[in-house]
Amino acid sequence: MASFEESLALLSSIKSEASEVDLTALVETHSALLFRLAHSLLRSRSDAEDVVQDTFLRVLERSRTMSEIRDVRLWLVRIAWNLSIDRIRRRKTRSTESEFVESLIAPGTSADRAFEESRQMHAVLCEIEHLPKSERHVLLLSSLEELDTAEIAAIIGRSEAAVRALLFRARTRLRARLEKAGTR
Amino acid sequence: MNPDHNAVDRVLDALRHAAPPAGMERRILNTLEIEARRPSLSVRSRKTWMTTVAYCAGLFVAALISTFTIQRHSAPVVSTLPVAQAPPSNISRSSVATTPTMVAAAPTLHPHSATVQRSVQPRRVEMAQSEDMLVSHPAPPIPLTEQERLLLRYGRGGNAGDLAQISNDRKAAKEEQDAAEFQAFFAPIEIGESE
């Protein structure tokens, strides 16, 4: 006679096999969005991929409660967003930002022009990091065209009107700071 | 257009169109497959939970045993009280023997705080009672009568003549003589005869 734990393990394996198709579909459908979401915060491709993987591992852990979730896409986005924020807190330096900036420079650009563009990109990223947290989050989330205002509001726990106001303030503040830095 | 504004748009556009690395989905699915083959997370968490419950139960049993042992060590002190002290003559021995048994058995029926109070209280009673039995605490002296003091003094002296003085006859004679001397001393004086 099988023990109680063996029976539970067998049951859970059966359940995981049954939900494997769903997980595969989830990965294929949402992994790109989750990657961009994590990348907008982390600006590191490897870290963003780790966050996506951790997100689906969380889904595997909570596979029993999947049926209770109404909007799986929003649920996944919130998990990935929170995991990205946790990873930023644990990370001490943003050493991978140069890699991202270099990827923005078009190939074949002259050295002087590439240097100037690189300086501008670094300045923009630096000013984005110095924005207030809520404004920064709204600005980065709004850069993802897959997310509308209602979803952004649900992710950060604000109203839609507040999201629009935060986005307006973030853009205004960012331009003002960049102009001020450029006139020095 | 301001080059800074252009840079902002380029950065946001790059974030918007960031493409995931090639093979990312396959790697994630492989990882999920490996994790799914492991013992279920719920089973692992249930194992951890059961281990924690077993550990807490063990601790509780150990605490119960230690509490019971402490009570067993403290109870005989209370129950041996009547044996060390002789009970008064008007109290029967059976009633003295049953009282500490009730005191010793009572703490097991009460919560832990009441047990501690009861285990402290009998010790205090025992100390108060045992102090009365110490040599350094004799009974208060009872005053002797005059006859007893005389007897004690004559007995220590060992004089047979003095001892004979405390006999009734001698004593009566002595008292009679003293009374006569008293009457003679305070008797009214007859003036005519003296002159």
Side-chain angles (χ1 to χ4, degrees):
Chain A
M1 184 180 174
S3 67
F4 175 69
E5 291 177 3
E6 287 173 353
S7 302
L8 275 179
L10 182 64
L11 183 63
S12 65
S13 66
I14 292 170
K15 283 190 174 181
S16 65
E17 282 174 6
S19 61
E20 192 174 5
V21 178
D22 298 334
L23 264 180
T24 306
L26 284 177
V27 171
E28 289 175 351
T29 307
H30 301 296
S31 61
L33 168 63
L34 299 182
F35 175 82
R36 279 192 287 274
L37 183 86
H39 185 260
S40 68
L41 265 180
L42 299 167
R43 292 196 274 283
S44 163
R45 296 173 70 82
S46 58
D47 284 353
E49 184 175 341
D50 288 346
V51 165
V52 176
Q53 182 173 295
D54 290 346
T55 302
F56 286 108
L57 286 174
R58 296 289 178 95
V59 173
L60 186 63
E61 289 178 12
R62 307 285 176 88
S63 57
R64 290 187 175 187
T65 57
M66 280 285 289
S67 58
E68 302 170 5
I69 298 164
R70 287 180 297 179
D71 191 345
V72 177
R73 178 169 174 267
L74 187 59
W75 182 59
L76 291 173
V77 166
R78 290 182 72 165
I79 293 175
W81 183 254
N82 291 328
L83 286 174
S84 302
I85 291 174
D86 288 345
R87 192 171 280 258
I88 285 177
R89 285 178 188 152
R90 290 199 303 267
R91 198 163 64 181
K92 294 179 180 176
T93 57
R94 191 178 282 276
S95 59
T96 55
E97 201 157 88
S98 298
E99 176 193 348
F100 172 68
V101 170
E102 294 301 323
S103 70
L104 297 178
I105 309 298
T109 310
S110 63
D112 293 344
R113 182 67 187 161
F115 177 77
E116 182 61 24
E117 286 185 359
S118 174
R119 190 194 63 79
Q120 287 178 352
M121 301 297 174
H122 274 295
V124 170
L125 291 172
C126 180
E127 291 301 331
I128 288 175
E129 289 305 311
H130 285 92
L131 285 174
K133 189 177 76 173
S134 52
E135 293 180 12
R136 183 173 71 247
H137 287 177
V138 168
L139 181 69
L140 294 175
L141 285 169
S142 66
S143 70
L144 305 175
E145 57 190 7
E146 292 101 329
L147 297 176
D148 56 19
T149 307
E151 288 175 321
I152 295 173
I155 291 169
I156 66 171
R158 299 286 190 95
S159 64
E160 292 185 42
V163 167
R164 281 191 283 270
L166 285 170
L167 181 59
F168 175 77
R169 284 208 298 267
R171 287 185 176 276
T172 307
R173 196 189 304 270
L174 185 61
R175 284 173 185 163
R177 286 182 178 180
L178 287 171
E179 285 176 2
K180 189 176 179 181
T183 54
R184 281 175 190 168
Chain B
M1 189 178 181
N2 193 327
D4 289 329
H5 297 177
N6 190 19
V8 171
D9 291 339
R10 282 182 65 183
V11 167
L12 294 179
D13 193 58
L15 293 175
R16 182 180 298 121
H17 295 105
M24 183 186 76
E25 292 179 4
R26 190 65 257 163
R27 287 193 292 273
I28 291 173
L29 287 174
N30 287 340
T31 306
L32 292 176
E33 192 177 351
I34 292 169
E35 285 295 320
R37 283 179 186 169
R38 288 186 184 179
S40 172
L41 293 173
S42 60
V43 172
R44 276 186 280 169
S45 64
R46 188 181 297 269
K47 269 186 179 178
T48 309
W49 183 78
M50 289 174 71
T51 308
T52 307
V53 168
Y55 181 71
C56 291
L59 280 179
F60 180 71
V61 169
L64 270 182
I65 290 172
S66 61
T67 306
F68 182 70
T69 308
I70 290 170
Q71 286 180 357
R72 286 282 304 269
H73 280 292
S74 60
V77 176
V78 179
S79 62
T80 54
L81 257 177
V83 178
Q85 182 186 11
S89 58
N90 58 350
I91 300 175
S92 66
R93 187 170 293 275
S94 61
S95 65
V96 172
T98 53
T99 305
T101 308
M102 291 170 64
V103 170
T108 57
L109 303 174
H110 290 276
H112 185 67
S113 58
T115 306
V116 172
Q117 287 179 353
R118 282 173 179 268
S119 64
V120 171
Q121 185 66 20
R123 288 187 179 178
R124 204 176 299 149
V125 171
E126 177 207 3
M127 289 175 64
Q129 291 178 352
S130 63
E131 283 176 357
D132 294 341
M133 301 174 64
L134 293 176
V135 182
S136 60
H137 290 80
I142 299 171
L144 300 175
T145 61
E146 191 177 358
Q147 298 286 329
E148 288 170 340
R149 273 189 265 119
L150 279 172
L151 182 62
L152 195 62
R153 192 175 66 194
Y154 293 155
R156 285 177 181 167
N159 190 350
D162 292 340
L163 284 173
Q165 286 184 358
I166 62 172
S167 65
N168 289 335
D169 298 338
R170 293 272 185 174
K171 186 181 177 185
K174 179 66 175 170
E175 287 176 356
E176 193 175 346
Q177 185 184 353
D178 290 343
E181 287 176 356
F182 180 82
Q183 292 296 332
F185 185 80
F186 290 105
I189 301 169
E190 294 177 359
I191 300 172
E193 289 179 357
S194 62
E195 291 177 350

